[in-house]
Amino acid sequence: MTDTTTQARWQEDASRHLVRNASDRLAMFTRGEGAYLWDQDGRRYLDFLGGIAVTSLGHAHPVFVDAISRQAATLAQVSNFFATPTQLELAALLKELAGAGDAGRVYFGNSGAEANEAAFKLARLHGAADRNGGSARPRILALKNAFHGRTMGTLAITGKPSMQEPFLPMIPGVEFIDSTVEALEAAIDDRVAALFVEPIKGEAGVVELPEGFLVAARELTRAHGALLIIDEIQTGAGRTGAWFAFQHSGIVPDAITVAKGIGGGFPIGALITFGDAGDLFYPGTHGSTFGGNPLGTAVATAVLREIERADLLTNATERGAQLRHAIENLGSPLIESTRGQGLLIGVSLRHPVAGAVVAAAQQHGLIVNAANDDTVRLAPALNIGDVEVDEFLDLFARALHTVADSLLLEETPTTPEDPA
Ligand SMILES: *Cc1c(COP(=O)(O)O)cnc(C)c1O
């Protein structure tokens, strides 16, 4: 049981000290280890959200702790007037994992939004870069319902009108299209600088692209001289069973952005360019005080090497399939289907009760998230095993029961609203 007095206190503190940019915090966590979190009352939770696809190795993994401790005791920050071995090592590793080749280049920021800000600037530089007599490219295309971040630049490429509305006017030049090959064919021309694509729309509810979309997007952007920029912030670092989700399709993009899982809990983001796209930036065009700092780059390298060493790409593929199969066979009347790839999973519900399922799960000691009204999102650590999977299924089934029972209660004839 949660101690209501302590709960009231931290909730009051939160509302006194923090801006009201988000809904009320759901719990107060004080510690994590492996796939588990502990709250201020010492209660344990199985964490199947992973800080939103961030804690790739789970909490307080020895590799993470060791890398951060050693680097903190060695060198934490020097600014980008200088190089550091950890920064160059991570850049080389990211290029290798992404298949960016010798011509690939890396820009480091500290978050997903910063990686996408850099990508937005890359698109603008490409749009203006036709110094060889070509016409300018003022247009940028992005997909409706895709999420690319909350800063003004990344909000401008995020196709969710309700998120943009309080902050109008947006940075001009961005147009949103449906995620279909037909819509892209209709929209693209030689005045498009770039197409931004989220390969699985995580925030929108783990929604995959139509079959063949990335291949067609590659052909069409190439034919029109536009950059293809893929946002791998949620899907990258092995989450979908490949290092990056675009690799399932066999295409080569012009740039990808990464963050979340690459740091395993340390804030770091990066833009990785392929081919000529890396030549677009020139001195003075972008920068960040903390970007590529020794601490973050040392940690990210250690996290990625551990993902490689422990073969967590295979684990993500296998555990993802195992989980989806088991979830679909739970026999819950609430479950419609599952979506996603690897360990980025959306559980689609038959009723808009994802919030209630998430709250019931928390009551039962399980952390998951409602990506939208009828989708529960799972993004656990990539190294979960049978123990965590079994415990998840038990707790998730109980949460679904709780909500299904309450729905039946509400479905009595005296209730004016049919929850369906
Ligand atoms: C989380 C996310 C972002 C933004 O990353 P932040 O680190 O929150 O700024 C951008 N794109 C996608 C696809 C994301 O999932």
Side-chain angles (χ1 to χ4, degrees), residues 52 110-114 116 147-151 154 198-200 202-203 231-235 257 259-260 377:
I52 317 183
N110 309 286
S111 65
E114 284 176 70
N116 280 340
F147 178 77
H148 298 296
R150 299 272 198 166
T151 59
T154 59
E198 189 185 1
I200 298 175
E203 298 304 298
D231 181 340
E232 293 272 3
I233 289 164
Q234 191 155 156
T235 49
T257 53
K260 292 200 167 96
R377 173 174 43 183

Side-chain angles (χ1 to χ4, degrees), residues 7-94:
Q7 177 166 351
R9 193 169 310 125
W10 66 256
Q11 277 174 343
E12 195 183 296
D13 283 351
S15 70
R16 250 182 343 138
H17 299 314
L18 307 175
V19 295
R20 310 237 165 108
N21 63 319
S23 30
D24 288 346
R25 269 66 179 175
L26 300 168
M28 171 96 133
F29 290 125
T30 52
R31 188 167 76 81
E33 194 184 315
Y36 298 95
L37 287 165
W38 282 264
D39 73 10
Q40 84 289 349
D41 298 319
R43 190 172 174 217
R44 193 181 87 149
Y45 300 78
L46 178 67
D47 181 11
F48 257 51
L49 182 58
I52 317 183
V54 169
T55 49
S56 317
L57 303 179
H59 300 284
H61 191 285
V63 165
F64 178 89
V65 174
D66 183 58
I68 210 166
S69 314
R70 278 203 290 168
Q71 193 59 41
T74 305
L75 185 64
Q77 163 74 7
V78 292
S79 91
N80 284 303
F81 291 127
F82 313 100
T84 58
T86 58
Q87 181 182 98
L88 301 184
E89 188 184 358
L90 179 60
L93 179 59
L94 285 172

Side-chain angles (χ1 to χ4, degrees), residues 339-358:
R339 295 190 294 263
Q341 205 161 15
L343 283 173
L344 182 59
I345 298 174
V347 181
S348 176
L349 305 177
R350 291 216 166 92
H351 303 267
V353 292
V357 171
V358 167

